[in-house]
Amino acid sequence: SSLLDLSTTKEVVNRHCLLYSTSSRCPPSLLTSLSPQPSSPMAATLRWRCFLLLTLFISISSTPTEQQTLAQIPINFLSSAKTPELVDYMVSIRRRIHENPELGYEEFETSRLVREELDRLGIRYEHPFAVTGIVASIGTGGPPFVALRADMDALALQEAVEWEHKSKVAGKMHACGHDAHVAMLLGAAKLLQEHHSHDLQGTVLFVFQPAEEGGGGAKQMVEAGVVDSVDAIFGIHVSTSFPIGTVASRAGPLLAGSGFFEAVITGKGGHAAIPHHTIDPILAASSIVVSLQHLVSREADPLDSQVVTVGKFEGGGAFNVIPDSATIGGTFRAFSKDSFAQIKQRIEQVVTGQAKVQRCNATINFNPNNKQTYPATVNDASLHEYFLGIAGDMLGTQNLKVMEPLMGAEDFSFYAEKVPGCFFFVGMQNETREPLVASHSPQYQVNEDVLPYGAALHASLAVRYLLEHQPGSATPPEEVIRPHDEL
């Protein structure tokens, strides 16, 4: 303080008095009692210098750090997402989509609804990708690029839930929450466009994707170049397994790679009373089903999770007739590429080999009904850590659940193979209400209270990512900088 002259000291103090007289952290009475009073020049100088030190201390202790400012972003987004206006908006979108479900690559009305909402919000977009897909963008049009994804397709199920907005299309329903996913992503787009579009330091892509349910829509989106310039991508799935206000995920393998198979076993039909004049495909198919179970129980490492399930078995239509052929079909799952390739190879060997043992012929198709093979969904470790920070700031660390790997599959895996990705689940189970049933059930329901959480997480993940990954910032040695194309 001896280096500061009195006039300079007074000027600095006056500025601090103006600032902190309006601060709740420094009561006016304290400032008044400590303010310099008329006295001798020496006493006045000492009082001014002591007062300066005090005000500087208050300034340092009350100025929010960069980390505190960043931590406030998710909290503010959740508060905004819970406003009645935005909640009503998302609920309305979700219910309109739920009433008119469409299967993979048939989401024409859903896609139209999304485009109409983007037009109303003044958000630019490109269409179509993969028949019905849409990619919208907000921001500068330049790097960094962060993508947020929602799937749009429904399932071939007859809805059994009786409510005002029940599916109007026979044999189709949204039984996996994709209607909620679209509503949340549109909610996030509305949040960013109306409040932060001019502040974004980069570009947010909103990926509305068709055909997740077996059609591999994500694969077509990737092949169309949707994520070629993307630095990171995030995906959300609502879940009945976790309470409302919680999220669940894990680093590394989260969901298994998935494949399908269908085999036709051909023999020689005849009367059931004279089986020695026939070649029984039912017997051969039964032998194959039993032998397939040995692939996991006797050939797979017990610590390397794998599944082979036969869910389809079709044969003859009469009690006393041996048919000419039988058809079996099923799915196989694994987390590692090597295990997945091995189990696929062994399924083919078992099917054809066991058929020959029973004097039958067999053909096998690993792409029945155009079902796609999905790789395992693997979360990027650093991106998952980043997600935990965002979700922890928003919901509290006590509401972050570590999820065990699941043998279910997701075509988000195609994005995560191309660029760093993080996929996570948002809980919607409410213990004060009737328990929600799991997805892919005619009784499936969505707790619409989950919508603000999804929208806020989307928005927070995007905004914070852009802020923390500005071009020219220090890049760890192990990271590789990829070139970007302007939108």
Side-chain angles (χ1 to χ4, degrees):
S1 61
S2 61
L3 298 178
L4 296 174
D5 62 78
L6 183 59
S7 61
T8 302
T9 303
K10 286 183 178 180
E11 182 181 350
V12 173
V13 169
N14 287 335
R15 289 202 301 268
H16 278 76
C17 285
L18 178 63
L19 173 64
Y20 289 103
S21 62
T22 59
S23 171
S24 61
R25 299 192 61 166
C26 187
S29 59
L30 177 60
L31 284 172
T32 301
S33 65
L34 293 176
S35 295
Q37 304 297 324
S39 182
S40 66
M42 180 63 70
T45 300
L46 291 174
R47 290 180 66 85
W48 274 112
R49 290 174 177 171
C50 290
F51 183 54
L52 174 60
L53 290 174
L54 175 63
T55 54
L56 289 177
F57 172 77
I58 295 172
S59 174
I60 293 170
S61 64
S62 62
T63 301
T65 65
E66 181 181 359
Q67 192 60 39
Q68 289 171 329
T69 302
L70 291 174
Q72 193 63 34
I73 291 174
I75 298 171
N76 293 342
F77 270 125
L78 183 58
S79 177
S80 298
K82 286 185 174 183
T83 59
E85 177 190 2
L86 191 61
V87 170
D88 291 345
Y89 173 79
M90 291 188 288
V91 167
S92 173
I93 293 292
R94 185 252 158 178
R95 291 179 177 180
R96 287 162 60 193
I97 295 173
H98 188 86
E99 289 178 352
N100 299 281
E102 298 170 299
L103 303 183
Y105 299 116
E106 299 174 3
E107 310 94 335
F108 298 104
E109 289 304 308
T110 305
S111 179
R112 181 185 59 79
L113 182 154
V114 170
R115 296 196 308 275
E116 287 178 351
E117 292 303 321
L118 293 172
D119 287 334
R120 289 192 185 97
L121 294 169
I123 298 175
R124 62 186 184 271
Y125 60 85
E126 293 186 34
H127 166 270
F129 293 93
V131 185
T132 59
I134 305 160
V135 178
S137 62
I138 297 176
T140 64
F145 292 89
V146 60
L148 309 170
R149 173 267 203 168
D151 37 16
M152 302 188 293
D153 55 325
L155 288 162
L157 288 175
Q158 180 64 44
E159 184 168 7
V161 181
E162 296 297 333
W163 68 304
E164 183 181 357
H165 300 281
K166 181 180 179 179
S167 170
K168 297 178 180 178
V169 184
K172 300 177 184 178
M173 77 170 286
H174 275 285
C176 200
H178 296 187
D179 49 350
H181 299 166
V182 174
M184 292 188 296
L185 191 54
L186 280 173
K190 184 176 173 69
L191 271 176
L192 293 180
Q193 179 69 356
E194 294 182 351
H195 302 290
H196 300 277
S197 60
H198 301 298
D199 302 328
L200 295 176
Q201 302 176 38
T203 307
V204 182
L205 300 183
F206 302 85
V207 179
F208 297 90
Q209 174 214 306
E212 186 278 327
E213 299 289 357
K219 182 180 181 182
Q220 288 204 27
M221 298 290 276
V222 169
E223 291 172 350
V226 165
V227 295
D228 283 355
S229 296
V230 167
D231 296 280
I233 186 167
F234 297 92
I236 286 179
H237 205 298
V238 294
S239 173
T240 61
S241 299
F242 303 100
I244 191 79
T246 66
V247 292
S249 190
R250 70 180 296 108
L254 176 68
L255 299 168
S258 167
F260 297 89
F261 66 93
E262 184 176 71
V264 178
I265 297 90
T266 305
K268 177 183 176 182
H271 199 288
I274 48 173
H276 54 293
H277 290 167
T278 70
I279 300 176
D280 191 348
I282 298 291
L283 180 61
S286 300
S287 178
I288 290 170
V289 171
V290 172
S291 296
L292 287 175
Q293 304 311 304
H294 298 162
L295 298 184
V296 174
S297 67
R298 287 298 173 267
E299 296 185 20
D301 184 338
L303 301 180
D304 180 13
S305 299
Q306 299 177 32
V307 166
V308 177
T309 295
V310 176
K312 176 181 179 179
F313 196 126
E314 296 176 351
F319 295 118
N320 60 345
V321 176
I322 294 173
D324 287 321
S325 66
T327 301
I328 62 172
T331 183
F332 56 102
R333 313 286 173 106
F335 282 103
S336 75
K337 290 183 177 180
D338 290 343
S339 297
F340 192 82
Q342 170 69 11
I343 203 167
K344 180 180 179 181
Q345 179 184 41
R346 290 292 291 132
I347 287 172
E348 184 171 13
Q349 291 172 348
V350 167
V351 168
T352 56
Q354 284 295 324
K356 287 180 180 179
V357 169
Q358 303 296 335
R359 301 178 297 152
C360 291
N361 295 316
T363 59
I364 187 165
N365 177 15
F366 286 103
N367 189 31
N369 301 321
N370 295 317
K371 287 187 175 293
Q372 296 289 324
T373 296
Y374 290 1
T377 301
V378 181
N379 280 340
D380 179 81
S382 61
L383 211 57
H384 174 260
E385 201 63 30
Y386 165 77
F387 155 74
L388 290 179
I390 299 292
D393 288 340
M394 180 186 295
L395 307 172
T397 55
Q398 73 278 7
N399 290 314
L400 309 182
K401 308 296 182 183
V402 179
M403 188 171 176
E404 292 301 316
L406 288 179
M407 300 308 292
E410 239 286 350
D411 75 349
F412 184 85
S413 54
F414 289 107
Y415 300 116
E417 277 195 327
K418 181 76 172 179
V419 299
C422 182
F423 191 76
F424 59 94
F425 292 81
V426 183
M428 60 177 183
Q429 194 71 253
N430 190 330
E431 295 180 356
T432 66
R433 303 178 188 173
E434 184 178 347
L436 299 172
V437 301
S439 60
H440 290 228
S441 164
Q443 301 287 344
Y444 180 80
Q445 299 179 72
V446 166
N447 176 3
E448 292 174 335
D449 292 343
V450 76
L451 300 178
Y453 292 98
L457 284 163
H458 270 314
S460 302
L461 288 164
V463 169
R464 280 266 296 265
Y465 188 89
L466 296 183
L467 288 172
E468 297 178 25
H469 294 80
Q470 287 300 296
S473 60
T475 304
E478 66 271 16
E479 292 186 6
V480 178
I481 301 177
R482 295 185 303 281
H484 301 280
D485 296 323
E486 296 289 327
L487 284 181

